[in-house]
Amino acid sequence: MENAMDEPIVVGIDIGTTKVCTLVARVEGERTMRILGVGIEPSQGIRKGNIVDLAAASTSIARSIEKAQRTSGFEITSALVSLAGSHVASVNSRGVVGISGGVIDEMDVARALEAAQAVAIPHNRQIIHVIQRSFIVDGQDGIRTPIGMHGYRMEVEAHIITAAESTVENLRQCVQAAGVQVTQFVLNPLASAEVVLSETERQMGVVVCDIGGGTTDLAIYIDGDLWHTMVLAVGGNHITSDIAHGLRLSIDQAEEVKKRYGHAIESEIAENDVISVRSFGQEAPVQVNRRDLAHIIEARVEEIFMLVLQEIKRSGYDGLLPAGMVLTGGASLLPGMKNLASSVLGLPVRVAKPENLVGLTDQLNSPAYSTSVGLLHWALLLSEAEPLHPRRSFLPKGINLDGDRIKNFLKRLLP
């Protein structure tokens, strides 16, 4: 979408288990996003990142889009949409091509990426992202941008992310029901990483862990490139559910208690610290020791990080993460999360949230909105990649795209 001032207007819709967040932004200067429209609506009909009730999900999405349109004054016709859920899988692949003219051009890169996609993918899955990592030209590896180099044989290392076709189509259908076309689906942790990672962390080796309501999303970056992605079907809602069972509360009450009194480390709570809650079947509120609440939370959070550790080990990159973990997502707001993550994983951990935002940002300065804001950065990169509007000055700092990589950006993304 363009506006009269010809600065790109970008739109992202983050469809999560707990909320749908539609953002409309204008890009100003080099790193600044001016948020023009915000539409935040509680999610209905979505569990663990998957649509379980089409009509309810469509209504939530339509309401969120409508709010964003009303606050921004723009009509939304297309948007980038976030994707999560345990149906997402990834594989690393290589593509090899011969260079006919002796000098590598864009077509050779495109052919190599196409060759890398020739992996056996079941018929019920579709490719969401093909992300180039590095190139090998005539045996020389670690090449970032091969265009213009001399060579006879080129290999590309690519990270291919696939998702269940039916789930993706259901999501597309819900967004289209609100009159909006999906420009591209973006995996949650990739969107979050765009906002929370520094270039140094990407180079050193880091894992992004986005803990939402229904899913925990991981992405491992090494040498500036994406090496591994994974979505686990556990999240903040499981903690709420445990509190509801343990203290015999309704889900809404449990969520409220978690947000107000929750802590992820039992030993950090004073022994005589009590809170009052109204359990099922009780006339008057009852006193509950806050340590009991922390005990319930700690058990579940520890389990989530054990699963994360297991996944990092399974990827084989656990020794390559000196920058540790960047924790984001709504559940990372729980006090004690950072310290517990650090002790379970044995890595340095920091909690991150979106920065460099102006405009309607009151609610957005929170880790819960990292994916939502990250989608805007992806939308910007896609608009940068269109040869019709080469606006390099709007690239967020920390994303080093030279001319050739801008041309290749779409090829890097499109299946």
Side-chain angles (χ1 to χ4, degrees):
M1 257 192 271
E2 300 296 314
N3 69 338
M5 294 168 72
D6 205 37
E7 288 180 322
I9 295 285
V10 288
V11 183
I13 307 175
D14 175 15
I15 301 173
T17 308
T18 46
K19 67 176 185 312
V20 179
C21 176
T22 304
L23 296 183
V24 181
R26 179 189 293 130
V27 185
E28 296 183 348
E30 286 208 2
R31 293 195 66 179
T32 313
M33 289 274 182
R34 178 171 291 279
I35 308 292
L36 305 175
V38 179
I40 299 166
E41 185 69 24
S43 288
Q44 305 287 329
I46 300 167
R47 280 192 63 217
K48 298 182 182 178
N50 296 333
I51 306 278
V52 291
D53 180 338
L54 268 176
S58 298
T59 307
S60 295
I61 293 167
R63 279 190 189 144
S64 167
I65 290 169
E66 194 186 320
K67 281 183 183 173
Q69 289 187 146
R70 219 171 32 236
T71 50
S72 68
F74 284 95
E75 186 186 352
I76 297 172
T77 53
S78 62
L80 259 70
V81 175
S82 70
L83 182 73
S86 51
H87 60 94
V88 174
S90 67
V91 59
N92 291 327
S93 171
R94 283 189 168 201
V96 185
V97 290
I99 310 299
S100 48
V103 176
I104 298 165
D105 62 18
E106 288 171 37
M107 283 311 297
D108 296 320
V109 173
R111 284 193 302 126
L113 282 170
E114 217 164 286
Q117 287 178 56
V119 289
I121 290 169
H123 67 90
N124 59 348
R125 297 189 72 75
Q126 73 180 58
I127 293 176
I128 300 294
H129 295 288
V130 178
I131 297 176
Q132 64 191 39
R133 292 214 310 232
S134 67
F135 295 87
I136 302 170
V137 178
D138 291 352
Q140 183 193 338
D141 60 5
I143 292 170
R144 309 282 297 186
T145 315
I147 293 173
M149 288 186 171
H150 288 262
Y152 297 99
R153 180 177 185 275
M154 178 174 71
E155 281 181 66
V156 63
E157 290 184 3
H159 184 73
I160 297 174
I161 297 170
T162 65
E165 194 160 359
S166 54
T167 310
V168 173
E169 286 314 310
N170 287 339
L171 206 51
R172 191 190 303 276
Q173 193 179 324
C174 283
V175 177
Q176 283 178 346
V180 175
Q181 293 299 315
V182 179
T183 315
Q184 161 118 34
F185 284 106
V186 179
L187 192 65
N188 272 13
L190 302 194
S192 301
E194 215 54 61
V195 175
V196 301
L197 287 190
S198 69
E199 191 60 27
T200 314
E201 285 170 331
R202 285 168 188 259
Q203 291 294 339
M204 292 280 293
V206 69
V207 55
V208 178
C209 178
D210 185 334
I211 309 181
T215 60
T216 295
D217 316 319
L218 301 175
I220 294 177
Y221 286 82
I222 300 170
D223 293 339
D225 292 313
L226 181 68
W227 284 60
H228 185 72
T229 45
M230 177 69 189
V231 179
L232 303 168
V234 288
N237 289 359
H238 292 76
I239 302 170
T240 307
S241 170
D242 288 355
I243 295 168
H245 283 280
L247 302 182
R248 296 189 177 85
L249 304 171
S250 70
I251 290 291
D252 291 346
Q253 279 177 303
E255 181 69 23
E256 181 64 29
V257 166
K258 177 182 81 172
K259 284 181 174 169
R260 190 177 289 188
Y261 305 110
H263 201 291
I265 300 175
E266 185 186 351
S267 59
E268 289 188 9
I269 302 291
E271 285 193 23
N272 55 0
D273 198 343
V274 291
I275 56 173
S276 64
V277 296
R278 193 186 289 272
S279 305
F280 280 115
Q282 299 286 343
E283 293 296 317
V286 280
Q287 301 289 309
V288 174
N289 193 320
R290 196 168 156 218
R291 283 194 99 161
D292 295 344
L293 173 65
H295 177 76
I296 295 169
I297 295 174
E298 183 172 357
R300 177 62 84 173
V301 172
E302 201 169 333
E303 184 197 14
I304 291 174
F305 287 125
M306 287 304 287
L307 289 168
V308 168
L309 180 63
Q310 207 175 313
E311 188 52 41
I312 293 172
K313 287 201 158 132
R314 201 175 68 80
S315 74
Y317 305 126
D318 51 328
L320 302 171
L321 303 170
M325 173 187 275
V326 174
L327 199 56
T328 192
S332 67
L333 288 164
L334 253 180
M337 283 294 257
K338 178 182 148 182
N339 294 347
L340 188 56
S342 196
S343 67
V344 171
L345 300 164
L347 291 170
V349 176
R350 74 177 178 92
V351 176
K353 62 182 185 185
E355 283 164 1
N356 298 312
L357 299 174
V358 292
L360 307 172
T361 61
D362 305 349
Q363 288 169 288
L364 304 180
N365 288 324
S366 155
Y369 296 99
S370 294
T371 301
S372 316
V373 177
L375 285 171
L376 298 176
H377 284 265
W378 272 81
L380 168 63
L381 285 169
L382 282 171
S383 75
E384 287 296 331
E386 289 172 15
L388 302 173
H389 308 286
R391 290 191 206 81
R392 286 206 37 223
S393 58
F394 294 120
L395 271 177
K397 206 167 155 196
I399 302 170
N400 303 320
L401 292 189
D402 52 27
D404 291 325
R405 282 187 71 187
I406 286 183
K407 287 176 199 157
N408 280 319
F409 196 79
L410 274 180
K411 288 174 194 159
R412 180 183 123 176
L413 293 171
L414 295 180

